[in-house]
Amino acid sequence: MEVIGADGVHVGTVDRVESGRIKLTTADSGEGRHKGHHHFIDLGLVAGIEGQRVRLSANAAVAVSLEEERSGKPT
């Protein structure tokens, strides 16, 4: 499923749900040192499901800034 911000902008693609967080595919992991590994989004940011899309309560730019590493630390 695609993950989009409240503004409709693509944030990532769900790999799976783990420990109360959405695990995004590595293809959506950003650039530089963030590239090539999974990032996570807390399920508390989910506003709803619309068809095959997960809509977040935050705009995409804010949601990306709240992504976490596997350890739970900010990206």
Side-chain angles (χ1 to χ4, degrees), residues 25-72:
T25 62
T26 56
D28 294 310
S29 63
E31 298 297 323
R33 67 182 180 89
H34 295 293
K35 192 168 182 71
H37 64 272
H38 296 280
H39 288 168
F40 296 79
I41 296 177
D42 191 276
L43 286 176
L45 286 175
V46 174
I49 307 295
E50 300 172 354
Q52 289 297 307
R53 290 183 171 164
V54 177
R55 182 173 292 274
L56 302 176
S57 58
N59 286 340
V62 173
V64 168
S65 74
L66 296 173
E67 287 181 358
E68 301 174 343
E69 299 288 347
R70 180 178 299 278
S71 66

